[in-house]
Amino acid sequence: MAAAHQVYLEVGSKRVFACSLAWPGWARAGKTEDEALERLVEFAPRYRAALSRRVPGFTAPTTSSQLKVVERVKGNATTDFGAPGVPRPKDGTAMRAPELERAEGILKACWAALDRAADKARGVKLSVGPRGGGRNLDAIIRHVAEAEDAYLHGIGGRYRAPAGADEAARIAGGRTEALVTFLARARGEPAPENPRRRVPFWPPRYFARRVAWHALDHTWEIQDRSA
C-alpha cells in the first residue's frame, strides 16, 4: 500500500473540509468527515493533472484508507459557506526550504492550470447550476483575481496595478506580488505596521493553501461547466 497522505479536517456545523498538509490546494469539502475524505480522493487525479510536470512527487490515493487524519480544527462561517477558513495552530511554525520551494511551485502550477482551463473554455458557453450559478468565464477569472488581492492583505501585502494596465497585466502583477510577499513572510520578514488592523495576519502556510485551493476550485468549475 502507498504511504498515507497526512490530512487535517476543518469541521464546521454544516460542512467539513479535508485538506492535505503537504500539498497546498488539495482540499475538498463534504457534509460529513467521511464524505470530505472521499471527495479528496476523488479529486486527487485532477490535482495531479493540475501540477502537471511542474511539481513532481504527488501520488494520487485510490481509497480514503490511504489518508491519515492527523488533526481537526473547528470551522467557522467561512467553512460552512464553502471555503477553508481557519488556519491550523501549527501553521505559524517556520517553513523550511524544501517546503517553501514546493509551495511556491504549487502556487505557480495552480495559476497555470487556471489559465489553461480559461483558454480552453474561450468561446464556450458555460452551463449554469450549482457549480457557480450564472458567472461567465470573465467573471470567474475576475473573481479569482479580486479574491487574491484580498488574500494578499491577509499576509500584510498590497497590490495596485499600474494605470492603464490591462486585465492580463493586472493579474500577472498581482500574482507576482503575492509570491514576493508570501516568500518574505515565510522567511520571517515582518509585515508593515498598520495600527488600524484589528485581526492577526494569516500564517504563510495558510495563505498558500487558501490561494492554491481557490485557484483550483475555479479551475475545476470551469472544466466542469464547459464540458
Side-chain angles (χ1 to χ4, degrees), residues 41-52:
V41 172
E42 177 187 347
F43 275 77
R46 299 180 76 170
Y47 183 78
R48 181 176 57 194
L51 296 184
S52 186

Side-chain angles (χ1 to χ4, degrees), residues 20-68:
S20 171
L21 287 174
W23 298 95
W26 186 34
R28 291 285 91 191
K31 293 181 180 179
T32 66
E33 294 186 2
D34 286 344
E35 183 178 318
L37 294 169
E38 291 293 342
R39 291 280 285 169
L40 195 63
V41 172
E42 177 187 347
F43 275 77
R46 299 180 76 170
Y47 183 78
R48 181 176 57 194
L51 296 184
S52 186
R53 297 179 181 177
R54 290 172 176 258
V55 186
F58 178 78
T59 302
T62 57
T63 173
S64 60
S65 66
Q66 294 170 271
L67 305 177
K68 182 179 181 181

Side-chain angles (χ1 to χ4, degrees), residues 3 11 18 27 39 42 46 49 58 79-80 98-99 117 151 173 176 180 188 212 215 224:
V11 184
R39 291 280 285 169
E42 177 187 347
R46 299 180 76 170
F58 178 78
T79 315
D80 289 333
E99 180 188 8
Y151 297 164
T176 297
V180 169
D224 291 345

Side-chain angles (χ1 to χ4, degrees), residues 192-224:
E193 292 186 8
N194 183 351
R196 291 185 292 181
R197 187 175 180 84
R198 295 291 182 266
V199 295
F201 288 115
W202 287 355
R205 276 193 189 86
Y206 173 72
F207 174 83
R209 289 200 305 271
R210 180 71 175 265
V211 171
W213 165 81
H214 196 235
L216 288 183
D217 193 56
H218 288 290
T219 296
W220 297 331
E221 176 194 350
I222 292 168
Q223 292 171 345
D224 291 345

Side-chain angles (χ1 to χ4, degrees), residues 1-117:
M1 180 182 291
H5 285 277
Q6 292 192 344
V7 303
Y8 73 96
L9 299 176
E10 182 178 317
V11 184
S13 60
K14 299 178 182 179
R15 198 185 303 258
V16 178
F17 270 91
C19 309
S20 171
L21 287 174
W23 298 95
W26 186 34
R28 291 285 91 191
K31 293 181 180 179
T32 66
E33 294 186 2
D34 286 344
E35 183 178 318
L37 294 169
E38 291 293 342
R39 291 280 285 169
L40 195 63
V41 172
E42 177 187 347
F43 275 77
R46 299 180 76 170
Y47 183 78
R48 181 176 57 194
L51 296 184
S52 186
R53 297 179 181 177
R54 290 172 176 258
V55 186
F58 178 78
T59 302
T62 57
T63 173
S64 60
S65 66
Q66 294 170 271
L67 305 177
K68 182 179 181 181
V69 178
V70 297
E71 187 177 1
R72 287 174 173 80
V73 297
K74 184 178 180 181
N76 59 17
T78 301
T79 315
D80 289 333
F81 178 76
V86 181
R88 298 167 52 245
K90 296 180 181 179
D91 279 342
T93 57
M95 297 180 71
R96 296 181 178 179
E99 180 188 8
L100 185 55
E101 182 179 352
R102 181 165 59 177
E104 180 183 7
I106 289 172
L107 286 172
K108 291 178 180 178
C110 292
W111 285 326
L114 176 63
D115 293 343
R116 289 195 302 271

